[in-house]
Amino acid sequence: MDLADSPEEGEFRARLREWLAKVLPGLPPKPSPDDWPARRAYDLGWQRMLYDAGYAGLHWPVDAGGRGAGPARHLIFLEETEKAGAPYVGANFVGLLHAGPTIAAEGTPGQRARWLPPVLRGEEVWCQGFSEPDAGSDLASLRTRAWRDGDAYVVSGSKIWTSHAEVADWCELLVRTDPDAPRHRGITWLALPMDAPGVTVRPLRTLAGSNEFAEVFLDEVRVPVVNRVGAENDGWRVTMVTLSFERGTAFVGEVVACRRALGELAREARANGRWDDAPLRRRLGRLNAEFRALWRLTQWNVSEAEGTGGVPGAGGSVFKLRYSHARQELYDTAAEVLGADCLDLGRPWVLDRLSSLSYTIAAGTSQIQQNIVAERILGLPKGR
Amino acid sequence: MHFQPTDDQRALKAGVRELLAGRFGRRALRAAVDRPGVLDRTLWRELGEAGFFALRLPEPDGGVGLGLPEAVLAFEEAGRALLPGPLIATHLAAGEVAGAATGETVVTAAYGGLVEWLAEADVVRGEAAGAVPVRSVDPLTPLHRLPRPPGAAPESGPEPVAVLLTAAEQLGGAARVCELAVEHARTREQFGRPIGAFQAVKHLCARILVRTETARAAVYAAAVTADPLDIAAARLLADEAAVHGARDCLQVHGGMGFTWEADVHLFLKRAWTRTQRTGDSTQSDELLAEDLLPVRV
């Protein structure tokens, strides 16, 4: 058991730090959260800088244009960029972490050549069309239909919780191509061009008041058959590749950010006098233990994935269950530190507290994650 | 970075588990429960011969010459097996108290408010004068209470290595109650199906595992760094995993969990006992809270 960098990892970390120190001061100011075109331009600009410096697609396979780095080096990259305050992956999230890896794993040579380089170079944005109003935790019940018509699929239905839909070029879309097959077997994965006729995007306002997500309505949209990745009706298996990526190193930056927020929270408590409240102070200490442990659990899972060819195991569900709860606890504690100011949206952590309400729901609710842990890790029988 | 046990470490852990399964299996465990307060000296010497106490003693001094990570893995197995006795105090006395390393001498320690196995110990480290016996809640851990003047400061608890090894025992106990809960949930049938098919039971089991695996990462990391803050965090997480794990395991067992015959209560009572061994937990909270503030000059 070893927590120290190997010489190669240390070298990688030192070079990355040096590069970040050089380029970050020259970045343009962050755009307003409501200005989607500006956010797209900012996120793509950062991706281009990563590409030019050789850091784009770090964890992608070399034959897909990536750097073939294992999970341990990807962890260093995410840790150092977060610590340095570098831009978040933002609009590039789906392209780099879902759609890209799926196409790299399941796409034809032609599909890889068409779609992967623009993601790495920061030229195209992808969004994700999986969830539907009636298909959330039960994703396999999705009903967006696709009929074959010559060299195209004709798609009708609606998708929800789609991030960056307003500014995306492509959508990785799950459609039902065989309504008579068992649920998991009648689904197909398509790359939908977002400018196709019949695509309507409507912003979805969350309880935090922001438009982070959108609904996407599809009315007889024609998608060329060549845009299908994997075989017809094999989309569920194709999709599971992307979902396992989502549960791997997806939260590394956030854990680093939480540990920083906890320090800021302690300083705020010291400044406003709440630090003298022993139970509250000890709750902050307990959260320090919690986030230290979550960082160690990340390192543990990453080292385990390193031994299994980079595919994260069910340990990702263990991590997500603990982390999503801990992060909500962090902001609830922040509200105690703030006192009555916790009702002021202008104060730090107040919006974060609202956003954190989604963590035990998004990417598999805690209840579904507990089913996964119980059935796949502990081997308990299926059944409700 | 490779934060997973090495092949040698896995082999060591498997070896300790095998030794304890052979020498302190369920029958021996229940026999020990029926003879409270009696320490098996033969087993103690066998542990000594196996290198359990001399694990971290340098080889030139007759030890095994291994480090904290290996000790943590061995004590995790001891916790899993509910092995009784002042294991940590004797381990820490190896090389300092004659016969401790070989298991000839049983050493206990007066850390704070309570002393474990005082009547059976050959040597007591710390001040135990005036200690009076307590009717211990854990049938496998006899306790004496130390006299404490009224208004004395809270107990400070033992040295960090003892805290870490206690956390390792808690981790082993948590991992074992997870297995017991799952075994019961798979085999016990009600309403015509295994109770583990019900989500309410599944979620109890899943939460035991989540707490255990989070604690495992914290405990192993503290074994690698030996940092007092990592050890404090490991202690808090491991205590939580062991106590809540045993509680949830008891709940999964239903009425059987409330019997003397089922082993679940032994895990819960030992987990409670270990939380007291390492001193007041609010001191760990305070240490970790202080760490959040910038160092004052």
Side-chain angles (χ1 to χ4, degrees), chain A residues 1-6 9 72 75 259 262-264 266-267 270 275 278 281-286 288-290 292-294 296-304 306-307 317-319 321-322 366-371 373-375 377-384, chain B residues 1-6 9 69-70 73 178 181-182 185-186 193-194 196-199 201-203 205-207 209-211 213-214 216-218 220-225 227 229-230 232-233 236-237 240 281-282 284-294 296:
Chain A
M1 286 189 280
D2 182 11
L3 287 162
D5 285 344
S6 69
E9 288 164 353
L75 176 72
R259 294 190 66 183
L262 192 53
E264 290 163 1
R267 286 193 284 283
R270 174 72 113 185
W275 188 255
R281 187 175 65 238
R282 289 168 189 164
R283 203 167 152 192
L284 289 166
R286 192 66 67 134
N288 188 9
E290 184 70 27
R292 279 170 175 265
L294 283 165
R296 298 316 191 182
L297 186 57
T298 302
Q299 292 177 309
W300 178 263
N301 286 343
V302 159
S303 292
E304 191 177 40
E306 196 87 36
S317 289
V318 169
F319 178 86
L321 276 164
R322 186 86 185 199
S366 291
Q367 287 66 37
I368 292 293
Q369 299 288 352
Q370 286 178 144
N371 286 350
V373 167
E375 291 168 13
I377 304 182
L378 298 176
L380 288 170
K382 283 192 177 274
R384 304 287 175 255
Chain B
M1 178 189 79
H2 186 72
F3 188 36
Q4 289 280 314
T6 62
Q9 288 168 339
E70 287 78 15
L73 295 173
C178 188
V182 170
R186 276 159 129 170
R193 70 188 80 171
F198 295 106
Q199 285 196 65
V201 175
K202 258 184 206 165
H203 290 188
C205 295
R207 286 201 289 267
L209 184 80
V210 168
R211 285 190 295 258
E213 293 310 304
T214 312
R216 182 184 306 285
Y220 288 1
V224 172
T225 67
D227 177 291
L229 286 158
D230 281 338
L236 291 174
L237 276 278
E240 183 205 30
S281 72
T282 59
S284 302
D285 295 335
E286 294 285 1
L287 188 67
L288 286 154
E290 204 59 38
D291 168 59
L292 292 171
L293 292 173
R296 271 165 292 159

Side-chain angles (χ1 to χ4, degrees), chain B residues 233-249:
Chain B
R235 175 264 168 101
L236 291 174
L237 276 278
D239 278 354
E240 183 205 30
V243 172
H244 287 244
R247 287 288 286 266
D248 285 348
C249 178

Side-chain angles (χ1 to χ4, degrees), chain A residues 91-110:
Chain A
N92 304 301
F93 185 88
V94 174
L96 284 170
L97 289 147
H98 298 142
T102 302
I103 295 163
E106 301 287 330
T108 63

Side-chain angles (χ1 to χ4, degrees), chain B:
Chain B
M1 178 189 79
H2 186 72
F3 188 36
Q4 289 280 314
T6 62
D7 289 344
D8 284 348
Q9 288 168 339
R10 284 180 207 276
L12 173 93
K13 192 167 188 279
V16 176
R17 181 174 300 192
E18 201 181 333
L19 170 80
L20 295 180
R23 263 316 258 109
F24 197 71
R26 183 156 196 275
R27 192 191 290 247
L29 170 72
R30 298 308 303 210
V33 172
D34 293 339
R35 293 175 65 218
V38 180
L39 195 63
D40 181 349
R41 293 281 183 154
T42 313
L43 175 57
W44 206 256
R45 276 191 296 275
E46 283 175 28
L47 290 170
E49 281 161 26
F52 194 87
F53 301 121
L55 200 65
R56 291 185 308 126
L57 205 59
E59 284 178 271
D61 302 332
V64 188
L66 292 172
L68 259 189
E70 287 78 15
V72 157
L73 295 173
F75 277 84
E76 180 188 338
E77 290 304 319
R80 184 192 152 83
L82 281 178
L83 191 62
L87 296 158
I88 293 172
T90 303
H91 174 90
L92 290 173
E96 294 172 19
V97 172
T102 56
E104 300 296 320
T105 310
V106 176
V107 183
T108 191
Y111 290 127
L114 296 165
V115 196
E116 300 179 8
W117 291 97
L118 184 62
E120 290 283 291
D122 306 309
V123 175
V124 188
R125 307 232 283 177
E127 185 50 59
V132 292
V134 169
R135 287 208 310 133
S136 173
V137 74
D138 177 12
L140 289 168
T141 310
L143 293 171
H144 279 67
R145 187 188 293 112
L146 294 168
R148 185 161 154 243
E155 307 301 344
S156 61
E159 59 178 286
V161 173
V163 176
L164 176 61
L165 295 180
T166 300
E169 289 183 351
Q170 294 285 54
L171 171 64
R176 183 65 189 139
V177 293
C178 188
E179 292 172 9
L180 292 176
V182 170
E183 273 170 37
H184 188 76
R186 276 159 129 170
T187 49
R188 168 75 174 171
E189 293 198 1
Q190 290 287 274
F191 303 101
R193 70 188 80 171
I195 60 169
F198 295 106
Q199 285 196 65
V201 175
K202 258 184 206 165
H203 290 188
L204 279 174
C205 295
R207 286 201 289 267
I208 302 175
L209 184 80
V210 168
R211 285 190 295 258
T212 304
E213 293 310 304
T214 312
R216 182 184 306 285
V219 171
Y220 288 1
V224 172
T225 67
D227 177 291
L229 286 158
D230 281 338
I231 290 175
R235 175 264 168 101
L236 291 174
L237 276 278
D239 278 354
E240 183 205 30
V243 172
H244 287 244
R247 287 288 286 266
D248 285 348
C249 178
L250 199 152
Q251 185 69 23
V252 168
H253 276 74
M256 287 176 208
F258 193 64
T259 66
W260 185 265
E261 181 195 347
D263 292 342
V264 192
H265 71 108
L266 301 175
F267 282 93
L268 178 58
K269 291 166 179 175
R270 188 71 69 86
W272 279 338
T273 304
R274 293 189 196 109
T275 62
Q276 293 304 315
R277 187 198 292 159
T278 41
D280 188 348
S281 72
T282 59
Q283 290 183 343
S284 302
D285 295 335
E286 294 285 1
L287 188 67
L288 286 154
E290 204 59 38
D291 168 59
L292 292 171
L293 292 173
V295 181
R296 271 165 292 159
V297 282

Side-chain angles (χ1 to χ4, degrees), chain A residues 11-243:
Chain A
E11 169 80 18
F12 175 78
R13 190 189 294 274
R15 276 175 185 235
L16 176 59
R17 273 186 190 166
E18 200 179 311
W19 179 74
L20 288 167
K22 197 176 71 187
V23 302
L24 290 183
L27 279 185
K30 278 192 178 142
S32 149
D34 301 322
D35 188 346
W36 282 100
R39 282 176 66 170
R40 172 187 159 109
Y42 183 83
D43 295 346
L44 289 178
W46 170 242
Q47 180 61 27
R48 180 69 202 197
M49 288 170 72
L50 290 173
Y51 179 81
D52 290 338
Y55 290 116
L58 195 64
H59 61 294
W60 283 22
V62 174
D63 65 3
R67 314 295 294 183
R73 260 204 291 165
H74 192 209
L75 176 72
I76 293 172
F77 175 81
L78 295 167
E79 180 188 2
E80 291 298 330
T81 47
E82 177 62 39
K83 280 185 174 163
Y88 180 57
V89 63
N92 304 301
F93 185 88
V94 174
L96 284 170
L97 289 147
H98 298 142
T102 302
I103 295 163
E106 301 287 330
T108 63
Q111 289 172 331
R112 290 154 65 115
R114 166 62 191 89
W115 284 314
L116 299 183
V119 169
L120 294 173
R121 288 195 301 255
E123 292 163 1
E124 289 185 344
V125 168
W126 284 72
C127 63
Q128 190 183 70
F130 287 3
S131 297
E132 297 180 4
D134 290 326
S137 292
D138 186 12
L139 183 59
S141 70
L142 62 91
R143 292 199 302 222
T144 292
R145 281 282 283 125
W147 297 264
R148 187 75 176 260
D149 179 28
D151 59 357
Y153 288 100
V154 181
V155 183
S156 284
S158 63
K159 295 290 178 178
I160 196 169
W161 303 116
T162 306
S163 308
H164 301 101
E166 294 92 332
V167 294
D169 303 289
W170 297 94
C171 177
E172 53 164 342
L173 189 71
L174 289 182
V175 295
R176 184 158 303 281
T177 35
D178 184 354
D180 300 322
R183 320 178 320 138
H184 295 85
R185 302 220 184 104
I187 294 169
T188 298
W189 195 105
L190 297 176
L192 164 77
M194 289 297 284
D195 60 357
V199 177
T200 308
V201 174
R202 187 189 296 162
L204 179 65
R205 198 162 189 225
T206 70
L207 60 74
S210 64
N211 295 323
E212 289 296 316
F213 301 98
E215 287 181 274
V216 178
F217 299 93
L218 306 162
D219 182 16
E220 299 197 357
V221 180
R222 292 185 70 85
V223 181
V225 171
V226 292
N227 285 16
R228 186 188 73 216
V229 170
E232 187 170 287
N233 297 328
D234 196 26
W236 184 260
R237 186 190 61 78
V238 170
T239 304
M240 284 304 115
V241 178
T242 66
L243 286 186

